[in-house]
Amino acid sequence: MKLRFFVFLGILATMGLVLTNCSSAKKVVKEKNNEEVLQVMRLTNQYFMNKWPDTGKPIYTTRWRPSNIWTRAVYYEGLMALYQIDPNKAYYDYAVDWGNKHKWGLRNGIETRNADDHACGQTYLDLYEIDPQPERIKDIKASIDGIIASNKYDDWTWIDAIQMAMPIFAKLGVMYKDEKYFDFMYKMYHHSKYVEGGGLYNKEDKLWWRDKDFVPPYREPNGEDCYWSRGNGWVVAALVRVLELIPENEKHRAEYLQDYIELIEGLAAVQREDGFWDVSLHDPTNFGGRETSGTALFVYGMAWGINNGILDATTYRPMIDKAWDAMVKEAVHPSGFLGYLQGTGKEPKDSQPVSFSSVPDFEDYGLGCFLLAGAEVYKLK
């Protein structure tokens, strides 16, 4: 009997040791994974900063464009997300230098109504909050105030625009404690969702058509609707960034939250086995294959949902891990260059073919999407 008792104590002690070791192992793995996430973000970002030391240098593809266009603006959104988890002064200085080089202005001046021109304002406002220099906010606020004063709210005719401009309205509403920004951004969002082309959101599939050109009767080669990956990613990012900003009692918050949850559900249903998403979400035969920008935006949205207690980790964490690991292993070059990145466009056929070594016409926005995703993955418990 005594022997059995001591054997039992030995088993308990062993179990305790195993459990302790398991707990320690989990902690070590978590810390190691966090460090790995940060290291790959630093690698990819440093590649870009090295390639573009002059933040004001115009970008040439088919023609010259100023470097405060939407593609570069999305990169700086990602850089600011990296700065939040890795407060390296070089990142801040790089962003401030970009603003200074463009005199904190918009591509087509304060009269512009183009959401692509407004996108740079997201980082301008972030930098203003860090150091409230009046010039950082002057032009973007004047432009948004002008849009509100016009009472014309049908400008967001393509879903990318929702991400480029909507978070600016949200941030201004918070900064100035003025609901007119919240109310007007909802008018614009409502037009995109319900009115433009008959409504760009398909509640049945829980996905968005990119613009009115893709609303049925338009079909993909396999007969399905055309849901462009990155376009839906822009809506994910917009909803995340708006929900992160607006008050809990904002009158349209419940609708934004519901739209976010439904969109995530629609995306979860079509993830590829390898972790990526196809460029055509319902037709893998139409230029199917790995694509980094849409995948990164979906990871950003899903990880944010878990971090904010909105999404179930048991359901979505495996999807996130699979997608993040796939991007790191399959898309990131040793140099920090990102592969499998579709260039600019509006549908699956644009900027094809997409491969590990293909160079998109603009490298900046894909990195921005990747950094946004990485910052949220880094925060996962």
Side-chain angles (χ1 to χ4, degrees), residues 252-281:
H252 301 291
R253 183 183 178 87
E255 181 178 342
Y256 298 141
L257 183 59
Q258 185 62 33
D259 289 353
Y260 160 78
I261 292 170
E262 288 182 7
L263 179 50
I264 294 296
E265 290 171 350
L267 294 167
V270 291
Q271 186 180 24
R272 291 164 51 92
E273 280 298 314
D274 64 5
F276 284 89
W277 275 263
D278 290 303
V279 291
S280 182
L281 295 174

Side-chain angles (χ1 to χ4, degrees), residues 243 253 257 260-261 304-312:
L243 287 166
R253 183 183 178 87
L257 183 59
Y260 160 78
I261 292 170
W304 180 87
I306 291 176
N307 287 331
N308 287 273
I310 297 167
L311 298 181
D312 173 45

Side-chain angles (χ1 to χ4, degrees), residues 14 37 39 94 118 159 161 163 218 251 335 338 374:
T14 303
V37 170
Q39 288 303 325
Y94 192 65
H118 290 136
I159 58 176
Q163 193 279 336
Y218 185 93
K251 62 175 70 77
S335 66
L338 281 176

